[in-house]
PDB file of all heavy atoms in Angstrom:
ATOM      1  N   ALA A   7      96.981 -52.831 200.977  1.00 43.00           N
ATOM      2  CA  ALA A   7      96.505 -51.481 201.051  1.00 43.00           C
ATOM      3  C   ALA A   7      94.974 -51.269 200.860  1.00 43.00           C
ATOM      4  O   ALA A   7      94.440 -50.298 201.215  1.00 43.00           O
ATOM      5  CB  ALA A   7      97.220 -50.546 200.021  1.00 43.00           C
ATOM      6  N   ALA A   8      94.368 -52.210 200.228  1.00 48.00           N
ATOM      7  CA  ALA A   8      92.956 -52.145 200.001  1.00 48.00           C
ATOM      8  C   ALA A   8      92.135 -52.323 201.284  1.00 48.00           C
ATOM      9  O   ALA A   8      92.420 -53.213 202.051  1.00 48.00           O
ATOM     10  CB  ALA A   8      92.462 -53.115 198.970  1.00 48.00           C
ATOM     11  N   PRO A   9      91.259 -51.279 201.664  1.00 46.00           N
ATOM     12  CA  PRO A   9      90.388 -51.343 202.778  1.00 46.00           C
ATOM     13  C   PRO A   9      89.579 -52.669 202.786  1.00 46.00           C
ATOM     14  O   PRO A   9      89.190 -53.032 201.640  1.00 46.00           O
ATOM     15  CB  PRO A   9      89.558 -50.157 202.789  1.00 46.00           C
ATOM     16  CG  PRO A   9      89.732 -49.550 201.496  1.00 46.00           C
ATOM     17  CD  PRO A   9      90.933 -50.121 200.820  1.00 46.00           C
ATOM     18  N   ALA A  10      89.268 -53.257 203.935  1.00 40.00           N
ATOM     19  CA  ALA A  10      88.439 -54.481 203.981  1.00 40.00           C
ATOM     20  C   ALA A  10      87.109 -54.212 203.307  1.00 40.00           C
ATOM     21  O   ALA A  10      86.489 -53.003 203.413  1.00 40.00           O
ATOM     22  CB  ALA A  10      88.160 -54.864 205.457  1.00 40.00           C
ATOM     23  N   GLY A  11      86.584 -55.140 202.493  1.00 44.00           N
ATOM     24  CA  GLY A  11      85.372 -54.899 201.769  1.00 44.00           C
ATOM     25  C   GLY A  11      85.561 -54.111 200.544  1.00 44.00           C
ATOM     26  O   GLY A  11      84.561 -53.854 199.790  1.00 44.00           O
ATOM     27  N   SER A  12      86.686 -53.592 200.306  1.00 73.00           N
ATOM     28  CA  SER A  12      86.986 -52.805 199.132  1.00 73.00           C
ATOM     29  C   SER A  12      86.712 -53.591 197.812  1.00 73.00           C
ATOM     30  O   SER A  12      86.895 -54.856 197.782  1.00 73.00           O
ATOM     31  CB  SER A  12      88.425 -52.304 199.162  1.00 73.00           C
ATOM     32  OG  SER A  12      88.883 -52.190 197.911  1.00 73.00           O
ATOM     33  N   ALA A  13      86.249 -52.870 196.810  1.00 60.00           N
ATOM     34  CA  ALA A  13      85.988 -53.489 195.546  1.00 60.00           C
ATOM     35  C   ALA A  13      87.298 -54.164 195.025  1.00 60.00           C
ATOM     36  O   ALA A  13      87.312 -55.139 194.221  1.00 60.00           O
ATOM     37  CB  ALA A  13      85.455 -52.529 194.475  1.00 60.00           C
ATOM     38  N   LEU A  14      88.449 -53.603 195.469  1.00 74.00           N
ATOM     39  CA  LEU A  14      89.775 -54.194 194.986  1.00 74.00           C
ATOM     40  C   LEU A  14      89.973 -55.521 195.500  1.00 74.00           C
ATOM     41  O   LEU A  14      90.725 -56.384 194.838  1.00 74.00           O
ATOM     42  CB  LEU A  14      90.909 -53.289 195.342  1.00 74.00           C
ATOM     43  CG  LEU A  14      90.993 -51.878 194.690  1.00 74.00           C
ATOM     44  CD1 LEU A  14      92.218 -51.114 195.118  1.00 74.00           C
ATOM     45  CD2 LEU A  14      91.059 -52.122 193.215  1.00 74.00           C
ATOM     46  N   SER A  15      89.382 -55.880 196.595  1.00 89.00           N
ATOM     47  CA  SER A  15      89.568 -57.238 197.149  1.00 89.00           C
ATOM     48  C   SER A  15      88.931 -58.272 196.252  1.00 89.00           C
ATOM     49  O   SER A  15      89.207 -59.422 196.424  1.00 89.00           O
ATOM     50  CB  SER A  15      89.014 -57.366 198.599  1.00 89.00           C
ATOM     51  OG  SER A  15      87.536 -57.115 198.527  1.00 89.00           O
ATOM     52  N   LEU A  16      88.196 -57.823 195.278  1.00 92.00           N
ATOM     53  CA  LEU A  16      87.598 -58.696 194.274  1.00 92.00           C
ATOM     54  C   LEU A  16      88.716 -59.522 193.551  1.00 92.00           C
ATOM     55  O   LEU A  16      88.422 -60.591 193.109  1.00 92.00           O
ATOM     56  CB  LEU A  16      86.866 -57.962 193.160  1.00 92.00           C
ATOM     57  CG  LEU A  16      85.459 -57.421 193.468  1.00 92.00           C
ATOM     58  CD1 LEU A  16      85.064 -56.540 192.465  1.00 92.00           C
ATOM     59  CD2 LEU A  16      84.496 -58.595 193.601  1.00 92.00           C
ATOM     60  N   VAL A  17      89.847 -58.901 193.316  1.00 96.00           N
ATOM     61  CA  VAL A  17      90.895 -59.614 192.510  1.00 96.00           C
ATOM     62  C   VAL A  17      91.938 -60.183 193.432  1.00 96.00           C
ATOM     63  O   VAL A  17      93.015 -60.673 192.926  1.00 96.00           O
ATOM     64  CB  VAL A  17      91.479 -58.703 191.496  1.00 96.00           C
ATOM     65  CG1 VAL A  17      90.472 -58.324 190.393  1.00 96.00           C
ATOM     66  CG2 VAL A  17      92.027 -57.483 192.093  1.00 96.00           C
ATOM     67  N   GLU A  18      91.675 -60.246 194.633  1.00 95.00           N
ATOM     68  CA  GLU A  18      92.650 -60.777 195.668  1.00 95.00           C
ATOM     69  C   GLU A  18      93.103 -62.353 195.245  1.00 95.00           C
ATOM     70  O   GLU A  18      94.219 -62.617 195.213  1.00 95.00           O
ATOM     71  CB  GLU A  18      92.079 -60.796 197.035  1.00 95.00           C
ATOM     72  CG  GLU A  18      93.180 -60.396 198.087  1.00 95.00           C
ATOM     73  CD  GLU A  18      92.513 -60.131 199.397  1.00 95.00           C
ATOM     74  OE1 GLU A  18      91.478 -59.430 199.579  1.00 95.00           O
ATOM     75  OE2 GLU A  18      93.031 -60.824 200.354  1.00 95.00           O
ATOM     76  N   GLY A  19      91.987 -63.081 194.975  1.00 96.00           N
ATOM     77  CA  GLY A  19      92.241 -64.484 194.644  1.00 96.00           C
ATOM     78  C   GLY A  19      92.981 -64.560 193.296  1.00 96.00           C
ATOM     79  O   GLY A  19      93.986 -65.275 193.208  1.00 96.00           O
ATOM     80  N   ASP A  20      92.588 -63.812 192.301  1.00 96.00           N
ATOM     81  CA  ASP A  20      93.258 -63.778 191.032  1.00 96.00           C
ATOM     82  C   ASP A  20      94.731 -63.326 191.208  1.00 96.00           C
ATOM     83  O   ASP A  20      95.601 -63.912 190.482  1.00 96.00           O
ATOM     84  CB  ASP A  20      92.581 -62.717 190.098  1.00 96.00           C
ATOM     85  CG  ASP A  20      91.374 -63.366 189.477  1.00 96.00           C
ATOM     86  OD1 ASP A  20      90.972 -64.441 189.782  1.00 96.00           O
ATOM     87  OD2 ASP A  20      90.772 -62.708 188.567  1.00 96.00           O
ATOM     88  N   MET A  21      94.967 -62.372 192.103  1.00 96.00           N
ATOM     89  CA  MET A  21      96.348 -61.900 192.243  1.00 96.00           C
ATOM     90  C   MET A  21      97.264 -62.952 192.841  1.00 96.00           C
ATOM     91  O   MET A  21      98.475 -62.942 192.539  1.00 96.00           O
ATOM     92  CB  MET A  21      96.394 -60.614 193.090  1.00 96.00           C
ATOM     93  CG  MET A  21      96.126 -59.313 192.424  1.00 96.00           C
ATOM     94  SD  MET A  21      97.091 -59.048 190.910  1.00 96.00           S
ATOM     95  CE  MET A  21      98.721 -58.853 191.651  1.00 96.00           C
ATOM     96  N   ARG A  22      96.644 -63.857 193.641  1.00 96.00           N
ATOM     97  CA  ARG A  22      97.532 -64.945 194.141  1.00 96.00           C
ATOM     98  C   ARG A  22      97.921 -65.901 193.022  1.00 96.00           C
ATOM     99  O   ARG A  22      99.014 -66.369 192.909  1.00 96.00           O
ATOM    100  CB  ARG A  22      96.620 -65.724 195.257  1.00 96.00           C
ATOM    101  CG  ARG A  22      96.862 -65.174 196.638  1.00 96.00           C
ATOM    102  CD  ARG A  22      96.383 -66.158 197.727  1.00 96.00           C
ATOM    103  NE  ARG A  22      94.948 -66.230 197.758  1.00 96.00           N
ATOM    104  CZ  ARG A  22      94.164 -65.350 198.369  1.00 96.00           C
ATOM    105  NH1 ARG A  22      94.653 -64.292 198.985  1.00 96.00           N
ATOM    106  NH2 ARG A  22      92.877 -65.503 198.355  1.00 96.00           N
ATOM    107  N   GLU A  23      97.002 -66.020 192.045  1.00 97.00           N
ATOM    108  CA  GLU A  23      97.361 -66.855 190.829  1.00 97.00           C
ATOM    109  C   GLU A  23      98.461 -66.157 190.124  1.00 97.00           C
ATOM    110  O   GLU A  23      99.462 -66.752 189.582  1.00 97.00           O
ATOM    111  CB  GLU A  23      96.193 -66.974 189.900  1.00 97.00           C
ATOM    112  CG  GLU A  23      94.903 -67.654 190.463  1.00 97.00           C
ATOM    113  CD  GLU A  23      94.995 -69.185 190.488  1.00 97.00           C
ATOM    114  OE1 GLU A  23      95.924 -69.701 189.787  1.00 97.00           O
ATOM    115  OE2 GLU A  23      94.203 -69.937 190.976  1.00 97.00           O
ATOM    116  N   VAL A  24      98.348 -64.791 189.940  1.00 97.00           N
ATOM    117  CA  VAL A  24      99.344 -64.048 189.232  1.00 97.00           C
ATOM    118  C   VAL A  24     100.677 -64.200 189.887  1.00 97.00           C
ATOM    119  O   VAL A  24     101.725 -64.404 189.327  1.00 97.00           O
ATOM    120  CB  VAL A  24      98.875 -62.572 189.075  1.00 97.00           C
ATOM    121  CG1 VAL A  24     100.034 -61.751 188.428  1.00 97.00           C
ATOM    122  CG2 VAL A  24      97.588 -62.433 188.303  1.00 97.00           C
ATOM    123  N   ASP A  25     100.706 -64.050 191.261  1.00 96.00           N
ATOM    124  CA  ASP A  25     101.938 -64.126 191.973  1.00 96.00           C
ATOM    125  C   ASP A  25     102.626 -65.503 191.724  1.00 96.00           C
ATOM    126  O   ASP A  25     103.806 -65.603 191.680  1.00 96.00           O
ATOM    127  CB  ASP A  25     101.758 -63.848 193.469  1.00 96.00           C
ATOM    128  CG  ASP A  25     101.602 -62.295 193.820  1.00 96.00           C
ATOM    129  OD1 ASP A  25     102.037 -61.559 192.974  1.00 96.00           O
ATOM    130  OD2 ASP A  25     100.990 -62.032 194.854  1.00 96.00           O
ATOM    131  N   ALA A  26     101.752 -66.571 191.707  1.00 96.00           N
ATOM    132  CA  ALA A  26     102.263 -67.900 191.427  1.00 96.00           C
ATOM    133  C   ALA A  26     102.894 -67.983 189.992  1.00 96.00           C
ATOM    134  O   ALA A  26     104.019 -68.609 189.902  1.00 96.00           O
ATOM    135  CB  ALA A  26     101.193 -68.950 191.487  1.00 96.00           C
ATOM    136  N   VAL A  27     102.282 -67.319 189.001  1.00 97.00           N
ATOM    137  CA  VAL A  27     102.824 -67.293 187.746  1.00 97.00           C
ATOM    138  C   VAL A  27     104.161 -66.533 187.796  1.00 97.00           C
ATOM    139  O   VAL A  27     105.217 -67.039 187.165  1.00 97.00           O
ATOM    140  CB  VAL A  27     101.907 -66.674 186.650  1.00 97.00           C
ATOM    141  CG1 VAL A  27     102.581 -66.515 185.214  1.00 97.00           C
ATOM    142  CG2 VAL A  27     100.643 -67.357 186.554  1.00 97.00           C
ATOM    143  N   ILE A  28     104.142 -65.418 188.407  1.00 97.00           N
ATOM    144  CA  ILE A  28     105.382 -64.671 188.426  1.00 97.00           C
ATOM    145  C   ILE A  28     106.548 -65.533 189.111  1.00 97.00           C
ATOM    146  O   ILE A  28     107.652 -65.583 188.548  1.00 97.00           O
ATOM    147  CB  ILE A  28     105.197 -63.300 189.276  1.00 97.00           C
ATOM    148  CG1 ILE A  28     104.229 -62.409 188.550  1.00 97.00           C
ATOM    149  CG2 ILE A  28     106.507 -62.699 189.727  1.00 97.00           C
ATOM    150  CD1 ILE A  28     103.911 -61.088 189.305  1.00 97.00           C
ATOM    151  N   ALA A  29     106.237 -66.143 190.255  1.00 95.00           N
ATOM    152  CA  ALA A  29     107.291 -66.907 190.949  1.00 95.00           C
ATOM    153  C   ALA A  29     107.779 -68.086 189.987  1.00 95.00           C
ATOM    154  O   ALA A  29     108.963 -68.389 189.979  1.00 95.00           O
ATOM    155  CB  ALA A  29     106.691 -67.435 192.268  1.00 95.00           C
ATOM    156  N   GLY A  30     106.855 -68.654 189.319  1.00 95.00           N
ATOM    157  CA  GLY A  30     107.149 -69.901 188.524  1.00 95.00           C
ATOM    158  C   GLY A  30     108.013 -69.447 187.181  1.00 95.00           C
ATOM    159  O   GLY A  30     108.685 -70.278 186.710  1.00 95.00           O
ATOM    160  N   ARG A  31     107.898 -68.205 186.717  1.00 95.00           N
ATOM    161  CA  ARG A  31     108.485 -67.871 185.478  1.00 95.00           C
ATOM    162  C   ARG A  31     109.766 -67.088 185.684  1.00 95.00           C
ATOM    163  O   ARG A  31     110.404 -66.618 184.754  1.00 95.00           O
ATOM    164  CB  ARG A  31     107.554 -67.100 184.569  1.00 95.00           C
ATOM    165  CG  ARG A  31     106.360 -67.895 184.220  1.00 95.00           C
ATOM    166  CD  ARG A  31     106.583 -69.210 183.508  1.00 95.00           C
ATOM    167  NE  ARG A  31     107.455 -69.194 182.383  1.00 95.00           N
ATOM    168  CZ  ARG A  31     106.955 -69.236 181.057  1.00 95.00           C
ATOM    169  NH1 ARG A  31     105.648 -69.468 181.000  1.00 95.00           N
ATOM    170  NH2 ARG A  31     107.777 -69.246 180.076  1.00 95.00           N
ATOM    171  N   LEU A  32     110.230 -66.949 186.993  1.00 92.00           N
ATOM    172  CA  LEU A  32     111.505 -66.124 187.212  1.00 92.00           C
ATOM    173  C   LEU A  32     112.697 -67.032 187.008  1.00 92.00           C
ATOM    174  O   LEU A  32     113.825 -66.572 186.948  1.00 92.00           O
ATOM    175  CB  LEU A  32     111.474 -65.644 188.632  1.00 92.00           C
ATOM    176  CG  LEU A  32     110.699 -64.410 188.966  1.00 92.00           C
ATOM    177  CD1 LEU A  32     110.916 -64.050 190.428  1.00 92.00           C
ATOM    178  CD2 LEU A  32     111.062 -63.298 187.981  1.00 92.00           C
TER     179      LEU A  32
END
Side-chain angles (χ1 to χ4, degrees):
S12 149
L14 289 180
S15 61
L16 282 171
V17 291
E18 222 176 305
D20 278 6
M21 278 305 294
R22 274 194 287 278
E23 301 274 352
V24 174
D25 282 341
V27 176
I28 288 176
R31 300 304 302 256
L32 282 183

